[in-house]
Amino acid sequence: MIFLKMFNLFVSRKLLKRKDSHASPASLVDDLRASLLSDLRTSDGAKRQQQRFCGPSAALTFNFLVAVAIILMNKSVLGRVGFNFPIALTFLHYSVSWIFMCILNACSLLPAAPPLKATPISSLFGLGIVMAFSNGLANVSLKYNSVGFYQMAKIAVTPTIVLSEFMLFAKRVSIQKVLALAVVSVGVAIATVTDLQFHLFGALVAVAWIIPSAINKILWSNLQQQEGWTALALMWRTTPITLLTLLILMPWLDPPGFFSFQWSFFSTAAVLSSAVLGFLLQWSGALALG
């Protein structure tokens, strides 16, 4: 549905530009479809299409709405549904994402990636591993902590990113952005402080999650902004690495009993809904960083 809306928007804009053309509407649509698919076959063209269809404001709004929805859904899955396997849940998220991207690739709708020689393979492997720790530990934190404590830990990710980019890349942030971040952080803290519930193991996991989460966002941003990767192309390259890393983490961070979990229609629908939201969260987050 999202891709259909993007295509319709692209077509309507182009048709307005060609309103004086004597070509038939059917031929115009065919030309525009061919033009769009041609753009998706090059990394530069795919990057232009991503920026055209999803600007910063749209990407941030999309990411905010999906983030709220998935936090509530994952908390329900890990609690009320009784699926007490946060790493396995993350693995299912990325598995569904991989299936979606395989479908897009089969339909020639997956954006092209920059030449691999332009990006060190170590960067892609590093990002894939960091993504596994970032999202896996996020769900472990959500399992053991309240939503309020989870949000408080999430607030700490932003200043960690700012500090890390300053230390690693000497990147400075304007005073206006610092004040804006401070206001937003204080606002979220006030809104969630009444929901705080302390759990020692959960608190330790939350602290451990902050660092890979910050590194994840920094690597995503750098690869998209400096090396021309689109969100979907980067997801396509790194998801297999993330899945392998999550398989290694499952015996260490998940409790036993995954294969004996009693699946029902309700639990299956809840987990699949969470997985679809996981794909949308990863995509929207990457769009926001690009």
Side-chain angles (χ1 to χ4, degrees), residues 59-60 161 216-218 220-222 224-225 284-290:
L60 287 171
I161 293 174
N216 178 34
K217 289 178 171 56
I218 292 172
W220 267 105
S221 180
N222 285 341
Q224 287 195 99
Q225 294 179 10
S284 64
L287 289 174
L289 291 171

Side-chain angles (χ1 to χ4, degrees), residues 28 224 259:
L28 283 176
Q224 287 195 99
F259 292 104

Side-chain angles (χ1 to χ4, degrees), residues 269-282:
V271 171
L272 286 178
S273 298
S274 172
V276 172
L277 287 172
F279 168 72
L280 294 177
L281 179 67
Q282 186 187 5

Side-chain angles (χ1 to χ4, degrees), residues 6 17 29 40 82 93 98 113-114 117 119 125-126 128 151-152 155 174 180 187 192 199 213 215 233 252:
M6 290 169 60
K17 291 180 179 179
V29 171
L40 291 177
H93 285 185
W98 180 247
K117 61 182 181 181
T119 302
F125 267 92
Q151 290 288 71
M152 288 291 291
I155 292 173
S174 66
T192 60
H199 186 286
S213 181
I215 295 174
W252 298 94

